[in-house]
């Protein structure tokens, strides 16, 4: 029998015996490892494909082992589809970019802990740190880890990419916060564009942030478009032409200050806004004059209905609705009925009840002696003077 005596030299002698005789490669490798000859143990493990022994040895490796040896071990595990183990060894060898490539190619999830392990040392070259942090961020983006990607892009100093990652997450609160602390024009605009896709009509805080971010981002053309959208909401959902007029006036101010590359396009937009404002002003004035002189108000409405481009600024149905309800309230039902017919002819696909209160439509029908439902479309759609549950802010900021 081969004599075994306590001590490292004896383990080496035994390991050499098993190696020379080829009787037990596994024991030879383990004995070399225990004797502190890690390189020799790994050499035999690779040479004789002792996978189990190699796993045992590499589980105890640290960064004191030569990087080349660690890299060799990593390649062995990679060839045998042990991808996570290969990544761990590459990290020990500080082969971070190579480890990231494996994570991407083999779909290894980048966790918070793994991202920190891959991150460069504090004393690494600034350019290398930037490249590595961005690479980690890109990997996280591919895997849908958007918050982690945001963190890594921020560490790389690329706040625009960080915001793009954050936008993918859909975390509105963090998007607003990040835009506020970044103080970059492009990021302000990115945040405002994102917020516009939300239901800002019912959230005054989001509306306020959109205006603030476009203003800080000097995106006056976009801000003009947003005020225009606000005006349309006031018309379509609330029939509030006074607020719509205020919003369009702000849109015009912004468009006048904008610095568009195509001057002719900017001028066309300015003129279009001016025309719409002019139409709105006429309708607002007609409604304001109603209390003092109803006939003058009706006359102004009739004149307004003759405008060929009326619906670019004022919905003709709202003017008809205003007039119909007036004549019904003064018991001039024939006039009211005549206007209803005009409205149906002008807007054949529209629901009458969208512009005229259901009760008023029924009252007109009864008083002109109609037994048939001639005033069709008078159901299911709320009239303009019915109470609207949604509330919007009193002040748009203009």
């Amino acid at each position: 029998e081969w004599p075994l005596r306590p001590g490292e030299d004896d383990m080496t002698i035994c390991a050499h015996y098993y190696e020379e005789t080829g009787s037990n490669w596994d024991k030879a490798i383990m004995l070399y490892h225990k004797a502190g000859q890690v390189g020799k143990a790994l050499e035999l493990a690779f040479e004789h494909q002792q996978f189990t022994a190699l796993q045992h040895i590499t589980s105890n490796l640290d960064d004191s082992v030569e990087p080349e040896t660690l890299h060799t071990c990593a390649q062995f595990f990679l060839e045998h589809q042990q991808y996570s183990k290969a990544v761990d060894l590459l990290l020990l060898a500080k082969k971070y970019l190579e480890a990231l490539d494996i994570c991407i190619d083999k779909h290894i999830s980048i966790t918070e802990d793994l991202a920190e392990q891959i991150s460069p040392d504090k004393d690494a070259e600034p350019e290398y740190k930037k490249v590595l942090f961005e690479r980690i961020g890109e990997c996280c983006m591919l895997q849908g880890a958007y918050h982690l990607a945001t963190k890594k892009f921020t560490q790389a100093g690329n706040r625009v990419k960080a915001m793009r990652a954050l936008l993918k997450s859909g975390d509105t609160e963090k998007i607003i916060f990040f835009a506020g602390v970044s103080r970059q024009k492009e990021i302000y605009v990115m945040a405002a564009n994102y917020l516009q896709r939300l239901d800002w009509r019912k959230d005054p805080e989001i509306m306020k942030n959109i205006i603030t971010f476009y203003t800080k981002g000097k995106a006056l053309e976009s801000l003009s478009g947003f005020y225009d959208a606000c005006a349309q909401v006031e018309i379509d959902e609330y029939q509030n032409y006074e607020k719509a007029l205020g919003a369009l006036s702000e849109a015009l101010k912004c468009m006048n200050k904008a610095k568009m590359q195509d001057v002719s396009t900017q001028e066309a937009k300015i003129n279009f806004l001016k025309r719409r404002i002019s139409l709105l002003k006429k309708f607002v004035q007609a409604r304001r004059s109603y209390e003092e002189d109803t006939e003058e108000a009706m006359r102004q409405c009739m004149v307004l209905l003759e405008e060929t481009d009326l619906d670019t600024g004022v919905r003709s149905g709202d003017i008809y609705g205003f007039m119909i309800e007036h004549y019904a309230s003064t018991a001039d039902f024939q006039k009211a009925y005549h206007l209803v017919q005009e409205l149906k002819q002008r807007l054949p696909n529209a629901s009458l009840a969208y512009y005229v209160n259901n009760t008023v439509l029924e009252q007109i029908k009864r008083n002109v002696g109609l037994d048939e439902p001639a005033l069709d479309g008078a159901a299911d759609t709320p009239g303009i003077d019915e109470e609207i549950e949604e509330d919007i802010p009193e002040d748009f900021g203009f």
Side-chain angles (χ1 to χ4, degrees), residues 137-336:
E138 289 164 359
C139 184
C140 291
M141 282 286 283
L142 289 172
Q143 296 186 358
Y146 300 122
H147 285 99
L148 192 52
T150 300
K151 179 180 179 181
K152 293 305 167 183
F153 283 134
T154 302
Q155 288 176 317
N158 194 329
R159 288 183 172 269
V160 171
K161 281 191 175 181
M163 175 55 97
R164 286 180 186 146
L166 203 50
L167 292 174
K168 286 277 190 180
S169 76
D171 192 330
T172 301
E173 185 177 345
K174 288 186 178 179
I175 288 169
I176 292 172
F177 175 79
F178 191 79
V181 299
S182 294
R183 298 180 180 179
Q184 289 181 222
K185 289 182 181 180
E186 187 176 354
I187 291 177
Y188 282 134
V189 175
M190 290 168 70
N193 289 343
Y194 164 81
L195 293 175
Q196 270 214 80
R197 298 197 297 269
L198 305 182
D199 192 4
W200 51 266
R201 299 161 184 82
K202 296 181 180 180
D203 194 327
E205 194 60 30
I206 290 180
M207 186 183 295
K208 177 182 176 182
N209 279 312
I210 292 171
I211 294 171
T212 299
F213 290 155
Y214 276 141
T215 302
K216 289 184 176 181
K218 307 296 183 186
L220 294 177
E221 183 183 357
S222 296
L223 183 55
S224 176
F226 178 65
Y227 277 125
D228 196 332
C230 290
Q232 203 58 48
V233 167
E234 289 300 329
I235 293 171
D236 293 341
E237 297 187 15
Y238 307 106
Q239 293 80 47
N240 192 328
Y241 282 87
E242 287 79 5
K243 280 191 174 182
L245 181 58
L248 278 185
S249 297
E250 288 299 313
L252 179 59
K253 288 179 186 177
C254 294
M255 189 54 66
N256 277 322
K257 294 178 182 177
K259 297 179 180 179
M260 294 177 60
Q261 291 183 346
D262 190 335
V263 177
S264 61
T265 299
Q266 182 174 359
E267 193 62 35
K269 288 185 175 184
I270 289 172
N271 290 333
F272 185 56
L273 283 169
K274 285 180 177 178
R275 176 56 180 162
R276 292 172 65 200
I277 288 171
S278 174
L279 293 169
L280 260 71
K281 281 182 177 179
K282 290 178 181 179
F283 187 41
V284 169
Q285 179 57 39
R287 297 210 299 191
R288 285 176 179 172
S289 66
Y290 180 77
E291 293 298 327
E292 297 179 1
D293 190 340
T294 56
E295 288 306 312
E296 175 59 21
M298 293 301 103
R299 188 195 67 79
Q300 290 180 27
C301 286
M302 290 301 295
V303 171
L304 197 51
L305 285 171
E306 294 176 3
E307 298 284 358
T308 56
D309 60 345
L310 174 64
D311 284 290
T312 60
V314 180
R315 298 189 310 185
S316 55
D318 288 336
I319 299 178
Y320 276 111
F322 177 58
M323 297 176 70
I324 290 166
E325 294 192 3
H326 159 69
Y327 286 114
S329 70
T330 61
D332 190 346
F333 296 107
Q334 287 297 331
K335 180 65 173 176

Side-chain angles (χ1 to χ4, degrees), residues 31-73:
L31 286 169
Y32 275 129
H33 180 226
K34 287 182 179 180
Q37 297 187 38
V38 178
K40 181 66 175 178
L42 289 171
E43 179 185 330
L44 286 178
F46 286 129
E47 182 180 349
H48 299 286
Q49 297 287 296
Q50 297 294 309
F51 192 63
T52 303
L54 189 59
Q55 283 186 311
H56 177 74
I57 296 171
T58 55
S59 66
N60 298 309
L61 294 180
D62 55 32
D63 56 7
S64 64
V65 179
E66 287 294 321
E68 292 78 7
T69 301
L70 292 170
H71 190 265
T72 302
C73 292

Side-chain angles (χ1 to χ4, degrees), residues 366-386:
R366 286 196 307 271
N367 282 277
V368 296
L370 292 176
D371 295 325
E372 298 298 324
L375 306 185
D376 58 336
D380 301 326
T381 308
I384 60 171
D385 60 352
E386 288 184 327

